[in-house]
Amino acid sequence: MIPDRIIEQGTLRARDGRVAVEVRLPWYRALPASCISGATLTVDGAEAPAASLRWELNGVESTFDEMKTNTRSWWFPTDSAVLSGDLAVDAGEHEVRVDLELYIPYIIIADDQVLHIEEHDTKTMTVRQNEEVDA
């Protein structure tokens, strides 16, 4: 719905072989963590391994498997989440792509299915080392 605003500009961080970027919900209503079914994080064409991906929502970091049954944490359209993964990134400017897969639980499309959306965003930004963020 709002794919060009998924990646928060200027939020690419790198430290110790991991990268992280802040992302926003591309939907107009809040969703529980269980509705975030997957994501990919790609920097300069290199994709972070799926097993290394972590999602930080409301200060709590989780794997996508851990989020499957999490209906207590909610992602609100005004809040950023953090997507991170194992990927070595040098200083400088990089092309960042995030692909999100979401379930919309209140839009029923068949007797046993709810709406499933896939949204994508790509932005070019300069990586910040965590030391710069903490300063």
Side-chain angles (χ1 to χ4, degrees):
M1 250 190 91
I2 316 168
D4 61 326
R5 293 179 31 197
I6 292 173
I7 299 172
E8 288 284 337
Q9 186 65 40
T11 63
L12 179 63
R13 300 184 311 268
R15 184 177 188 179
D16 300 329
R18 281 188 72 77
V19 295
V21 67
E22 292 182 22
V23 294
R24 299 290 289 265
L25 179 63
W27 192 249
Y28 66 99
R29 291 179 67 184
L31 294 174
S34 61
C35 290
I36 306 163
S37 61
T40 61
L41 175 59
T42 306
V43 179
D44 297 331
E47 187 175 311
S52 76
L53 292 177
R54 299 294 179 268
W55 187 265
E56 184 181 320
L57 182 61
N58 303 320
V60 178
E61 189 176 89
S62 306
T63 65
F64 286 96
D65 279 344
E66 292 169 336
M67 292 178 7
K68 284 181 182 178
T69 59
N70 183 350
T71 57
R72 289 184 172 199
S73 295
W74 284 73
W75 189 15
F76 295 91
T78 56
D79 297 339
S80 293
V82 178
L83 177 62
S84 65
D86 291 345
L87 205 54
V89 174
D90 295 327
E93 196 169 79
H94 300 278
E95 181 183 83
V96 179
R97 178 179 170 103
V98 170
D99 300 292
L100 288 177
E101 297 177 19
L102 306 169
Y103 288 102
I104 311 302
Y106 44 82
I107 299 180
I108 313 278
I109 60 172
D111 287 342
D112 60 349
Q113 289 184 327
V114 297
L115 181 63
H116 178 245
I117 62 171
E118 296 179 11
E119 297 289 352
H120 322 279
D121 189 14
T122 303
K123 289 208 172 39
T124 300
M125 64 182 87
T126 302
V127 69
R128 298 182 303 160
Q129 301 300 321
N130 271 7
E131 294 76 33
E132 295 175 28
V133 175
D134 296 336

